[in-house]
Amino acid sequence: KKSNNNDNIFNDNNNIFNTMSGEYELKKRHAGCTGMFWRPDPTGQTSLASRDNWPRDGAILRGNTIEIGGRKWLQVTHVKQPNGEFVAAPAGAYMPFEHDNHYYLE
């Protein structure tokens, strides 16, 4: 996990958003799926442009961390699949930091 400094903090409808840029690895707690599909913008402000190139196990995600209603999300700007190079993520791609006690970002 490589986190940088806070980029900005803003408030919208009583939700506090604290954005921080960084890189995180997609990890899982037990066997099962081989990755996790992109999630749409939890704020509803942008649409997910594509579900292509969803992160596989061990992918590195680059983007901005936000917190909405106590839940941490990564607004993904780039994805590096295992044994690949960083490429742009689809516009509007998000990933929760914790999903169903199975997948997590670290």
Side-chain angles (χ1 to χ4, degrees):
K1 174 177 152 183
K2 301 173 195 164
S3 294
N4 298 326
N5 61 345
N6 286 345
D7 292 326
N8 57 57
I9 298 172
F10 57 97
N11 185 335
D12 179 37
N13 295 329
N14 298 321
N15 286 315
I16 302 297
F17 301 87
N18 183 1
T19 65
M20 191 173 12
S21 54
E23 292 180 359
Y24 302 88
E25 182 177 353
L26 180 64
K27 295 184 172 189
K28 63 183 177 182
R29 291 189 169 83
H30 50 80
C33 304
T34 59
M36 198 160 104
F37 295 116
W38 297 119
R39 300 304 197 256
D41 181 352
T43 69
Q45 295 178 355
T46 58
S47 296
L48 178 57
S50 168
R51 295 204 179 265
D52 293 344
N53 202 25
W54 48 274
R56 286 8 179 235
D57 294 349
I60 305 295
L61 306 177
R62 183 182 290 160
N64 299 309
T65 303
I66 64 172
E67 189 171 321
I68 302 168
R71 190 163 182 209
K72 243 173 114 171
W73 291 84
L74 187 66
Q75 177 187 21
V76 184
T77 58
H78 294 83
V79 58
K80 179 182 176 191
Q81 301 289 3
N83 301 316
E85 299 296 323
F86 275 108
V87 296
Y94 282 74
M95 197 60 57
F97 269 77
E98 175 72 38
H99 178 68
D100 201 24
N101 199 30
H102 184 81
Y103 275 101
Y104 65 102
L105 298 178
E106 182 176 85

